[in-house]
Amino acid sequence: MTADVTDNGMRRVGRKAAGHPWFHTMSRAGLVARGLLYLLIGWLALQVAFGHGGKEADRKGALEAVADKPGGIVVLYLMTAGFFALALWQFSEALYGRPVPDGDKPTKRLGSALRGVIYTVGFGGMLAYALGHGGQSSDQQSKTFTARAMGEPGGRWLVLAVAAGFLIWGGVVVVNAVRRAFLDELKTAEMGRTAHRVVQPLGMIGNAARGLIGAAVGVFLGYAAITFQPGRAQGLDGTLREFAATPAGAWGLAVVAAGLLVFGLYSFAEARYREVDPT
């Protein structure tokens, strides 16, 4: 009985903290940080498409672009804090439920928990970079993971499972973009007519591009596992560059890069209209 009372009391305290204005501010600041990161990656990918790319079009390249500018270290730490806030927000949704239809279902909570892990990894990588530990590019990380995993018993199946996870996630994101399911997460009642007309296509195009890239990462991981060639695995930068090798050429990469830029803008819209209160 005492344990139940204590647990309920802790949950009430947690819910109260998650509903506090500071929590709202941190969550929305995190969405702004995510938007800035995608804008930078999209811009770097555009430079690659038109032959002016000197940096990787991934998180490391984006952080390098920020750090190279005057006052960049301050922006870098603010972005790092934003990703920490994103992780806290997602873990709170995993504990208390998401503010969407059926947001209390275990599958919804699990999705939030996984996103919390992803944002935690992002936060760790950004903090390490800010502290002077450059780390590997996304391509190097992907190849290293694949080689090490395939060197262990059953590692090939692990890589295939991760590849399947990327493929499924990417497919779901694309389908939800087409279905406009992302609108369930927004305060659409607070949008004016103009805002609604702008945010909806941003969400559809941006999420579709993100899902397409995620699925492509899964394809390369799967191919590396099937052919026993860890070097064929690609991270974000390598995957984006592969779009330039399609019949569409540089314009194929440019279109995908534009999609990332659009998702960055959509993240800014989310910072204004996203529901951030756990249920």
Side-chain angles (χ1 to χ4, degrees), residues 16 18 40 46-48 78-79 81 118 130-131 162 165 193 251:
K16 184 176 180 180
L40 289 168
L46 275 180
Q47 291 182 307
V48 171
L78 289 175
M79 290 176 65
I118 292 170
L131 295 175
V162 173
R193 181 176 298 179
W251 288 105

Side-chain angles (χ1 to χ4, degrees), residues 87-166:
L88 288 181
W89 168 40
Q90 290 302 306
F91 285 135
S92 72
E93 287 192 346
L95 286 173
Y96 307 119
R98 299 185 62 203
V100 297
D102 298 322
D104 203 41
K105 294 175 65 175
T107 52
K108 299 285 188 181
R109 290 172 180 251
L110 177 61
S112 293
L114 292 175
R115 282 188 293 273
V117 171
I118 292 170
Y119 287 135
T120 299
V121 172
F123 160 72
M126 295 171 78
L127 181 61
Y129 185 89
L131 295 175
H133 307 289
Q136 296 179 316
S137 68
S138 60
D139 289 341
Q140 292 170 327
Q141 290 174 345
S142 183
K143 288 176 172 58
T144 299
F145 160 76
T146 305
R148 288 179 178 175
M150 291 178 64
E152 301 294 331
R156 182 189 185 195
W157 297 106
L158 173 62
V159 176
L160 283 171
V162 173
F166 272 104

Side-chain angles (χ1 to χ4, degrees), residues 6 20 26 55 57 61 96 101 127 176 181 209 212 219 226 236 240 244 252 273:
T6 302
H20 198 277
M26 286 185 63
K55 297 185 185 330
Y96 307 119
L127 181 61
N176 285 340
L212 177 63
V219 169
I226 292 171
L236 177 57
L240 287 170
Y273 295 110

Side-chain angles (χ1 to χ4, degrees), residues 60-255:
K60 182 184 177 184
L63 297 181
E64 288 177 350
V66 170
D68 288 345
K69 299 295 186 291
I73 190 64
V74 176
V75 177
L76 189 57
Y77 274 110
L78 289 175
M79 290 176 65
T80 302
F83 269 73
F84 179 70
L86 286 175
L88 288 181
W89 168 40
Q90 290 302 306
F91 285 135
S92 72
E93 287 192 346
L95 286 173
Y96 307 119
R98 299 185 62 203
V100 297
D102 298 322
D104 203 41
K105 294 175 65 175
T107 52
K108 299 285 188 181
R109 290 172 180 251
L110 177 61
S112 293
L114 292 175
R115 282 188 293 273
V117 171
I118 292 170
Y119 287 135
T120 299
V121 172
F123 160 72
M126 295 171 78
L127 181 61
Y129 185 89
L131 295 175
H133 307 289
Q136 296 179 316
S137 68
S138 60
D139 289 341
Q140 292 170 327
Q141 290 174 345
S142 183
K143 288 176 172 58
T144 299
F145 160 76
T146 305
R148 288 179 178 175
M150 291 178 64
E152 301 294 331
R156 182 189 185 195
W157 297 106
L158 173 62
V159 176
L160 283 171
V162 173
F166 272 104
L167 280 167
I168 293 170
W169 175 82
V172 169
V173 171
V174 171
V175 170
N176 285 340
V178 175
R179 293 178 56 246
R180 296 175 294 178
F182 57 88
L183 292 175
D184 292 337
E185 302 174 331
L186 305 179
K187 298 179 180 179
T188 52
E190 295 184 8
M191 293 183 185
R193 181 176 298 179
T194 301
H196 198 279
R197 288 178 176 175
V198 171
V199 172
Q200 182 170 297
L202 288 179
M204 293 179 68
I205 296 170
N207 280 294
R210 191 170 63 131
L212 177 63
I213 294 168
V217 170
V219 169
F220 288 116
L221 275 175
Y223 183 77
I226 292 171
T227 61
F228 288 96
Q229 298 182 67
R232 300 303 296 269
Q234 301 285 2
L236 177 57
D237 177 68
T239 300
L240 287 170
R241 291 174 189 269
E242 288 292 336
F243 281 100
T246 65
W251 288 105
L253 173 55
V255 169

